[in-house]
Amino acid sequence: MPGAARGPGRLDTAMPRAARGPGHPDPATPRAARGTSGVAAAGPVSPAQVRACQAGAVSEPETELTATLRRIERAAGALATASVARMDETLPWFRSLPADQRSWVTLVAQAGVRSLVQWLRSGGGTADSTQEVSDEVFAAAPQALARSISLQQTVALIKVTIDVVEEQVPHLAAPGEEPRLREAVLRFSREIAFAAARVYARAAESRGSWDARLQALLVDALLRGDSPDVLASRAAALGWADAPPVAVAVGRSPGGEVPAVLHTVYRQARRIGAEVIGGVHGDRLVIVLGGAADPVAAAGKLLDAFGDGPVVVGPAVPSLDEATESARAALAGFRAAPAWPAAPRPVPAADLLPERALAGDAEARRRLRHDVYATLVRSGGELLETLDAFFAAGGTLESAARALFVHPNTVRYRLRRVAEVTGFSPLAPRDAYALQVALTVGRLDPVVTLVPSQTMTPGVRKTSQTGDDHRRSL
């Protein structure tokens, strides 16, 4: 084509085959096969030379958009530079990126242009093609770039680059190939977007697997009672804000893949605005709750994440450093919960003190002995005597009064005193059961000396704490 006919910015193209006259032999045709109009052979041509010429011709086949592909290859650097300049103009967040990350984006843009050429050569531009874009386009940048630039930002970068390429289609396409190139670029933009999604999906899976391992290690450290420094370092790696109060909930795992189980926990925790760390240990799901004013109520909103069976919530503590105590109480309560079939779901670990004591939980026995039995002993012998008579009478006030030779109102007054100093009311069935177990444990493991001077002034123990609050503090 004459130079005057070339448009602005167009690159020189090869002469089409159809335009070649008899004096312009096809360079892809072996010399031996050319007619008299071609260049005359210098001498006889052997069959080996013919085969060599044919092999050389096959190595560089003429395909669709061949001339256009050569132009795109030559313009790859300029296209990448123009794309980065457009990103700098239209994307404010791109301008704030460090220089090294901006250079990585440039490398990715250049790799994307080369991938377009390779994709077109592989037949990706045809309507019925199933050719996918290789994820290696994004291998030009380190994996750290995926952590610095979000998927949404990556889509914006791809859009800018595709826009720049589309604007240059009239200058990149050989004569008559512009419509095919424009359609191919549109198809390529779809494929490159899917490739970016695959890269970020793998990165998310990798981060999710790593986070799941870290969380499992943190939960395991809580259950083992590791030092606060170990808990703090592992929690910091997970971005734990340590919002008080902190409590541990234990229930049965619903089964299935661990990432799916934990995903359900996190999704529901976001809805209630609580901070959580979860881990699956065997058939148990352990959740650390943070920032929930009422951990039991918060655990009630996470019940869908647990399997069937009881869900036990340990006592609230100020920070993750002290959550080992909450985890131990929750685990002990979970083991003992089957002894109380009618237990609410979720149930505080403190409400399971009698079952925990019978199951061999040393901490529950100690609390019942010190905080219930010892308190009754220090409050005066008549309270223990009245409790024994009340339980022996089957919970009947009149029968207990006759056995003690006192008025029923006296028995009633003493039972109220028991509720005030221990937090357990003998008139409530569950509290009466806990008091009976406390009396049994206290008499089996006596540690309190009956000294009259230790008797407390009525009402001192419970001036600012209700019975329910006292049990939860246990």
Side-chain angles (χ1 to χ4, degrees):
M1 180 180 296
R6 296 177 192 139
R10 290 181 180 273
L11 301 178
D12 200 4
T13 59
M15 181 180 296
R17 292 187 185 183
R20 297 189 182 113
H24 293 78
D26 190 344
T29 305
R31 293 189 176 185
R34 296 176 187 167
T36 56
S37 60
V39 179
V45 180
S46 66
Q49 289 175 319
V50 173
R51 286 193 297 271
C53 291
Q54 291 174 341
V58 172
S59 63
E60 294 184 0
E62 293 287 338
T63 61
E64 292 187 359
L65 303 177
T66 300
T68 298
L69 293 181
R70 294 195 189 101
R71 293 184 173 191
I72 297 175
E73 285 181 321
R74 287 195 294 267
L79 287 173
T81 302
S83 299
V84 173
R86 181 74 59 83
M87 296 170 192
D88 192 72
E89 294 174 1
T90 59
L91 302 176
W93 58 265
F94 181 78
R95 292 193 292 269
S96 63
L97 289 178
D100 58 341
Q101 295 184 7
R102 291 162 61 92
S103 65
W104 293 339
V105 172
T106 304
L107 292 176
V108 172
Q110 291 175 347
V113 176
R114 291 194 298 269
S115 178
L116 170 62
V117 174
Q118 182 63 34
W119 183 73
L120 290 172
R121 280 181 174 159
S122 303
T126 59
D128 57 348
S129 173
T130 58
Q131 181 72 20
E132 292 185 351
V133 175
S134 173
D135 300 349
E136 293 181 358
V137 174
F138 301 95
Q143 294 182 353
L145 187 63
R147 293 191 291 270
S148 303
I149 300 178
S150 66
L151 177 58
Q152 183 178 0
Q153 292 172 333
T154 301
V155 172
L157 296 178
I158 292 174
K159 182 179 182 301
V160 169
T161 305
I162 294 298
D163 288 343
V164 171
V165 174
E166 280 188 307
E167 292 174 2
Q168 297 298 318
V169 164
H171 307 297
L172 295 173
E177 295 182 349
E178 181 177 336
R180 285 190 304 232
L181 178 59
R182 193 175 299 278
E183 180 181 354
V185 169
L186 292 176
R187 293 180 182 277
F188 180 78
S189 64
R190 180 191 65 182
E191 296 298 330
I192 200 70
F194 281 129
R198 288 193 296 269
V199 170
Y200 275 84
R202 283 197 295 269
E205 290 175 358
S206 177
R207 286 196 301 269
S209 300
W210 175 247
D211 287 349
R213 287 192 291 270
L214 278 180
Q215 292 181 41
L217 290 173
L218 176 59
V219 172
D220 186 63
L222 275 176
L223 302 183
R224 289 199 316 265
D226 284 356
S227 67
D229 292 340
V230 173
L231 298 177
S233 63
R234 290 178 178 171
L238 291 168
W240 175 263
D242 205 12
V246 178
V248 178
V250 179
R252 196 169 301 281
S253 171
E257 296 292 332
V258 173
V261 174
L262 297 181
H263 176 72
T264 302
V265 174
Y266 302 142
R267 185 179 67 248
Q268 296 183 359
R270 284 194 298 268
R271 292 176 181 173
I272 64 175
E275 192 173 7
V276 297
I277 292 177
V280 177
H281 282 242
D283 63 342
R284 297 172 301 186
L285 173 60
V286 182
I287 297 177
V288 183
L289 285 163
D294 186 351
V296 177
K301 297 177 181 179
L302 301 177
L303 289 179
D304 291 342
F306 291 94
D308 297 333
V311 175
V312 183
V313 183
V317 294
S319 65
L320 187 65
D321 297 346
E322 305 172 51
T324 299
E325 175 187 348
S326 182
R328 287 174 176 169
L331 282 174
F334 179 74
R335 287 191 292 266
W340 185 13
R345 191 172 184 265
V347 56
D351 289 357
L352 290 162
L353 275 178
E355 287 80 8
R356 289 165 52 190
L358 294 176
D361 181 13
E363 179 63 15
R365 292 175 64 92
R366 187 190 69 80
R367 291 188 177 276
L368 287 175
R369 183 173 62 249
H370 283 273
D371 299 338
V372 179
Y373 179 75
T375 300
L376 291 173
V377 170
R378 289 192 297 266
S379 298
E382 70 278 359
L383 295 185
L384 280 175
E385 183 184 18
T386 302
L387 269 182
D388 287 334
F390 180 71
F391 292 144
T396 305
L397 288 173
E398 291 76 9
S399 299
R402 284 195 297 269
L404 295 172
F405 300 102
V406 296
H407 194 275
N409 286 342
T410 303
V411 175
R412 189 174 288 108
Y413 166 77
R414 291 177 180 175
L415 295 181
R416 281 200 302 267
R417 287 282 298 122
V418 170
E420 290 174 358
V421 299
T422 65
F424 294 94
S425 172
L427 300 178
R430 274 293 300 178
D431 289 0
Y433 174 58
L435 286 169
Q436 286 179 297
V437 174
L439 294 181
T440 303
V441 170
R443 285 163 178 160
L444 288 175
D445 306 322
V447 294
V448 180
T449 305
L450 297 177
V451 179
S453 61
Q454 293 179 336
T455 303
M456 296 179 62
T457 303
V460 171
R461 172 83 176 173
K462 296 294 292 180
T463 55
S464 62
Q465 194 175 38
T466 63
D468 185 64
D469 291 339
H470 178 67
R471 287 199 303 278
R472 291 181 188 276
S473 68
L474 298 179

